[in-house]
Amino acid sequence: VESEEIKLFIQDALQTVDVASQVNFNKTITLRSGRLLLDKDRFVQMIVILLDNAARYNYKNEAIDVKIESNDEMLTVQITNLSENVNEIDFDQIFDRYYRSRHARIVRPDGLGIGLHLAQTIAKSHYGSIKAEAVSERYFRVTVEIPVKAVT
């Protein structure tokens, strides 16, 4: 996949979630030129899951920061949002299938707890990693790192 195509896929994902959730995104996309070996459909699915999750649990409709960049070794996706209850998140379990925090069960009782698990599965299928962390008492960040396999 050409890096310019990836930018378009990401823009489409942002627009899809933006329209559905009425949330604004502060986006920074800096990709090295060239081709990347990615499963386009699964990569976009992972981005949509992460954006949708951030939008659903975003506090006070604060803008969500989306940073996507690549270099010769790594494609990195960071999504940061304001969260009402960062201290209630069990970061050891957040990617477990069917795990939902108490706050998530209150805000979205219809959720199944499979989105972040699926995002993790997609990241791993690209030989990558995903982690969630509290950036501060109020901000929550998910970071995905996928090794770049360039095609010349």
Side-chain angles (χ1 to χ4, degrees):
V1 178
E2 293 288 339
S3 59
E4 289 302 315
E5 286 180 272
I6 293 172
K7 286 182 185 179
L8 294 175
F9 303 146
I10 293 167
Q11 294 290 358
D12 287 346
L14 285 163
Q15 185 174 1
T16 299
V17 175
D18 188 22
V19 168
S21 65
Q22 308 273 323
V23 173
N24 292 317
F25 295 98
N26 296 326
K27 49 193 171 280
T28 306
I29 302 172
T30 311
L31 300 176
R32 71 176 186 85
S33 61
R35 294 178 56 96
L36 303 172
L37 288 177
L38 288 174
D39 179 332
K40 173 190 75 161
D41 294 331
R42 297 292 74 82
F43 180 76
V44 170
Q45 181 182 20
M46 180 186 68
I47 297 295
V48 169
I49 289 168
L50 296 176
L51 293 173
D52 182 64
N53 193 73
R56 287 177 190 271
Y57 301 107
N58 193 33
Y59 187 60
K60 294 187 176 181
N61 283 339
E62 182 87 9
I64 296 169
D65 292 331
V66 179
K67 182 178 180 182
I68 302 174
E69 59 188 10
S70 68
N71 57 34
D72 290 338
E73 296 177 12
M74 199 68 63
L75 172 66
T76 303
V77 177
Q78 287 188 329
I79 299 173
T80 307
N81 65 291
L82 181 64
S83 179
E84 186 175 10
N85 294 312
V86 171
N87 59 341
E88 291 183 17
I89 298 169
D90 185 344
F91 291 105
D92 292 333
Q93 291 185 299
I94 197 165
F95 295 106
D96 291 353
R97 187 181 314 179
Y98 307 122
Y99 171 76
R100 301 192 69 227
S101 70
R102 186 178 70 76
H103 176 68
R105 291 188 306 270
I106 292 168
V107 173
R108 286 287 319 272
D110 59 330
L112 297 174
I114 60 173
L116 291 178
H117 176 75
L118 183 55
Q120 179 186 49
T121 300
I122 294 168
K124 286 182 175 182
S125 75
H126 286 87
Y127 304 99
S129 64
I130 186 169
K131 69 177 180 177
E133 62 188 333
V135 181
S136 69
E137 289 181 11
R138 306 288 288 184
Y139 284 89
F140 173 79
R141 176 179 296 146
V142 174
T143 303
V144 177
E145 292 184 321
I146 297 174
V148 170
K149 293 181 167 82
V151 177
T152 55

